[in-house]
Each structure stands twice: as C-alpha cells, then as structure tokens.
Amino acid sequence: MKKIVKKGLLAEMGFTKGGGTINWFPGHMAAATRAIRDRLKVSDLVIEVRDARIPLSSANEDLQPMLAGKRRVIALNKKDLANPNIMQKWIRYFDSCKQDCLSINAHSKGSVMKLLALVEFKLKELISREPTLLVMVVGVPNVGKSALINSIHQIASSRFPVQQKMKRATVGPLPGVTRDIAGFKIAHKPSIYVLDTPGVLVPSITDIETGLKLALAGSVKDSVVGEERIAQYLMAVLNTRGTPFHWKHLDDRRMEGLLVESGEKHEYNLKDLLPKRKPLDRSGVRYIEDLVTEVQRALFVPLTDFNGSLENETDLEILIEQQFEALQKALKIPHKASEARTMVSKKFLTLFRTGRLGQFILDDVPDVSDSVS
C-alpha cells in the first residue's frame, strides 16, 4: 500500500492554493451577522448547526467567542453522509471539552426529537422561572438549518395545532438561500420561541484548506471557487488517505441496481448524472450504482499503477490528471466537449455530496487537550 500523506501536508501543496484565498461574503451576510449578534445577546440557548463531515471547519470563527458564553448545543447535521466510526470519536471529543453535541439528520423526525429533548433538558433550570425563552439556530450556509427548522416546526405543529402556521423555510442546494431572521413558537408555559437565521461565513477564510472543505461540502458557492479546483482537492484528499484502495474488490461487489426515480429528493440532483434521453425509457437508464463503480475504478486503477510519491506535489498532480482523464471516460463525456473538465467535476462532486462515494469526515479529530473551536 502506498504511503499515506502526513496531516497538514496537503494544505501546503501549491495546487490546492492555486486559486488563492476563498472569500464569499455578499452584502446580506454582513447585515445578517450584525442581526445575529444582536439577537444572541438575548437568546437563552443556541443550536449551532454544523456539517458532520467538517465538524470544525463548518464553525463560524467570528461567532465562536459569543457562542462559547451561551448555553449551546452543537448539532452535527447530515450524519448519514459522515463516517459513523469517526463520528463517535468526534462526539467523545466534544464531550471531553464539556460541550453538548449531537449528530443528527435534520430530515428524520426521531433524530430531531432527540435534539429537542436535549434542548429542553438544557433549559430546565430556566423553564421554572422564566415566562418566555428564546432558542436561536445558527450556522454557516448549507449545513441544513432550514431543513432542521422545518422539522422542528412540524413537530411543534403536532404538539400545538392551534398555533399560527409558519411559512416553511426554503431548502435548496445553493448556500445562502435564507435571507431573513424569522421565529415561531414551539412550546407554551413557558413560551419557547425558535429563531432561524441566515447562513453566514466569515468575511475572509484565511485557511485555504478550510475554505476548500467548506466548498466541497457546499457551504461556499461552486462558482466562487471553481468546480475543477474543488474536484482536484477532493481527489487529493482521497488519494492521500488511500481511500481508493478500499475499492479494490469492485468486481466482486454485488450491485443494488438502484434506479433514480423521478420523485427521489436530494440537495444535489442525481438525475443530472444520467444521459439525457427523451423519453427516458427503462432500457436506456444507467444505474447510479453502476456509475459509482465506474467512477471508483477510475480513481483506483491509476492509483494502483502510480509509482510516484503522494507527498511529492508534482507526482500527485500527475496522478490527479490521470484520474481526471479516467473519470471523463467513465462518465462518458466527449474529450472535445467544451467545458469537459467542468462537466466531469460537477458530476464527481455530485456523487460525493450525495454520499454515493461513501461516508466521509474531512476534519481530523483534535487532541483532547485542544479546546473547542
């Protein structure tokens, strides 16, 4: 097996820095950040939603000093996309830092109910003496705050059907959809209100690899960073971790033949991976699982034949170039197609973001002695 790259080395490689520092701070984020700071002062508890695949990188560093002084629950959302074994290490890490943390799936009622139970437990002391309590939901773009808010609202509506209906939060694949701060009641006696907030980033993401992780998870618009650069970073991560070696027995694996139905819901549309046919007849459908196998093989074979060093920047760039070419064949994108590399990158990123390439956590668990960011 090839030698795995040491921690931190990838961030120093020039090709990951190719596009420079990642900045995405549109005007509405500046205004929203000010509003969030004002409301944090009067909030009784904060649910900080982070992406389970990047438990530290998806923290808004500018808000951490205020959040650290509040009653807080960190909700690591999208746990279905994260490696469950490593997730347990993250939960233990936060526990060692005396920070309440729960991994959740915002689309699962049972998962959200567990989160609400923890919130109510954290508010127990205040409930006995305060007539009104305020819970804020904060987080960077596209970590699933709106999906969580919708689930909480559905649970609240079943508990208190007489309360006024609230407009569902907008949920979509593009970060920065929620623009306003809106609240609704989830409990009586005492009255508990939940405030949703827009996703906000820091004005400048100084650590390039943190910015690339946020882009890979979808918290920064692809167009800001460039799909090819994000895909190149993903390939570098997979290669330096030796992930394709786990795909060695692809030919022996049984395929589920999972057909993408028209009603299937994903933040990133898997139907975009299929050939465009009108009408789309069953005999012409490419099964997603077959496509995943071809993509995994496109990464595995070049790595198997690779004789260079994964710690050498030039060697790694050559390997990634070979994998790009193999991916283009696997995805059946013509070499002469305009924007071919962008097309390859988009499809590759879609497979990662929908969990088809596996469950990953991109951040390394800090030493227990380190403090929570």
Side-chain angles (χ1 to χ4, degrees):
M1 182 177 288
K2 302 293 191 298
K3 185 178 180 182
I4 306 303
V5 172
K6 292 180 289 186
K7 291 181 181 178
L9 188 61
L10 190 60
E12 300 170 7
M13 291 187 170
F15 69 85
T16 63
K17 299 180 181 180
T21 303
I22 295 169
N23 297 313
W24 186 50
F25 197 69
H28 78 272
M29 284 194 189
T33 299
R34 291 192 295 270
I36 289 170
R37 288 180 183 278
D38 289 341
R39 286 162 176 78
L40 276 175
K41 295 174 184 177
V42 295
S43 65
D44 298 290
L45 183 141
V46 179
I47 299 175
E48 184 188 3
V49 186
R50 300 187 188 181
D51 191 312
R53 297 166 296 180
I54 44 175
L56 288 187
S57 296
S58 56
N60 183 314
E61 289 300 325
D62 286 359
L63 293 179
Q64 292 309 306
M66 288 191 73
L67 295 177
K70 309 290 296 185
R71 288 180 179 82
R72 172 174 62 167
V73 174
I74 294 177
L76 298 177
N77 189 32
K78 306 185 182 183
K79 71 175 186 177
D80 52 312
L81 301 177
N83 184 313
N85 296 324
I86 300 177
M87 179 54 60
Q88 291 306 310
K89 296 179 181 178
W90 273 104
I91 298 297
R92 288 196 294 270
Y93 166 71
F94 282 114
D95 184 59
S96 70
C97 297
K98 310 301 181 185
Q99 171 60 59
D100 289 289
C101 178
L102 197 66
S103 60
I104 69 167
N105 179 348
H107 296 286
S108 165
K109 182 179 178 180
S111 186
V112 176
M113 289 283 283
K114 289 181 180 178
L115 175 62
L116 291 179
L118 178 57
V119 167
E120 289 177 3
F121 176 78
K122 293 278 290 180
L123 289 173
K124 190 173 182 180
E125 178 187 344
L126 289 176
I127 285 175
S128 61
R129 65 174 190 267
E130 296 291 340
T132 304
L133 298 173
L134 181 63
V135 176
M136 281 191 68
V137 180
V138 302
V140 300
N142 209 34
V143 290
K145 294 184 307 302
S146 295
L148 175 60
I149 284 291
N150 285 335
S151 293
I152 292 175
H153 184 250
Q154 288 172 6
I155 292 169
S157 296
S158 63
R159 287 179 178 177
F160 312 108
V162 296
Q163 78 166 347
Q164 186 177 0
K165 296 291 183 181
M166 169 192 145
K167 184 179 179 181
R168 289 173 58 86
T170 302
V171 180
L174 298 179
V177 171
T178 306
R179 295 295 180 94
D180 302 315
I181 295 180
F184 62 94
K185 197 172 187 177
I186 64 165
H188 299 314
K189 296 182 181 180
S191 296
I192 300 178
Y193 291 86
V194 171
L195 285 186
D196 187 16
T197 60
V200 293
L201 292 165
V202 295
S204 178
I205 305 170
T206 55
D207 182 78
I208 289 177
E209 192 163 9
T210 295
L212 288 169
K213 288 176 182 177
L214 285 165
L216 183 53
S219 291
V220 176
K221 280 186 177 180
D222 286 350
S223 58
V224 172
V225 184
E227 289 89 348
E228 187 174 340
R229 185 184 179 197
I230 304 171
Q232 186 181 42
Y233 173 69
L234 175 56
M235 287 186 210
V237 170
L238 296 176
N239 287 325
T240 54
R241 290 186 174 194
T243 301
F245 288 117
H246 299 304
W247 302 330
K248 185 176 182 179
H249 303 293
L250 293 175
D251 293 330
D252 299 330
R253 196 173 67 183
R254 290 177 59 86
M255 294 295 101
E256 297 176 5
L258 183 58
L259 183 64
V260 179
E261 301 290 351
S262 59
E264 191 172 359
K265 293 182 179 179
H266 289 283
E267 287 183 343
Y268 297 92
N269 196 345
L270 285 167
K271 290 191 292 182
D272 293 341
L273 298 174
L274 301 175
K276 299 294 187 293
R277 298 175 186 271
K278 294 183 180 180
L280 188 65
D281 62 285
R282 188 176 180 83
S283 63
V285 170
R286 293 187 67 196
Y287 288 83
I288 291 297
E289 293 299 328
D290 291 336
L291 179 63
V292 169
T293 300
E294 293 172 21
V295 166
Q296 290 176 328
R297 187 178 290 109
L299 299 184
F300 167 70
V301 173
L303 182 58
T304 303
D305 298 336
F306 177 61
N307 293 318
S309 169
L310 291 173
E311 295 187 359
N312 181 285
E313 182 179 329
T314 302
D315 287 350
L316 186 54
E317 279 189 278
I318 292 172
L319 171 61
I320 290 173
E321 181 64 28
Q322 293 171 344
Q323 290 174 322
F324 253 118
E325 292 177 2
L327 277 176
Q328 189 164 341
K329 292 179 182 178
L331 295 167
K332 300 189 184 306
I333 296 173
H335 280 277
K336 294 183 180 180
S338 61
E339 304 294 327
R341 291 291 281 256
T342 300
M343 293 167 64
V344 171
S345 300
K346 286 182 176 180
K347 291 176 183 287
F348 182 51
L349 292 174
T350 295
L351 287 175
F352 171 81
R353 289 165 173 168
T354 53
R356 298 291 173 163
L357 295 181
Q359 296 170 303
F360 296 93
I361 295 183
L362 303 174
D363 285 339
D364 295 315
V365 183
D367 294 331
V368 175
S369 58
D370 292 346
S371 61
V372 179
S373 294

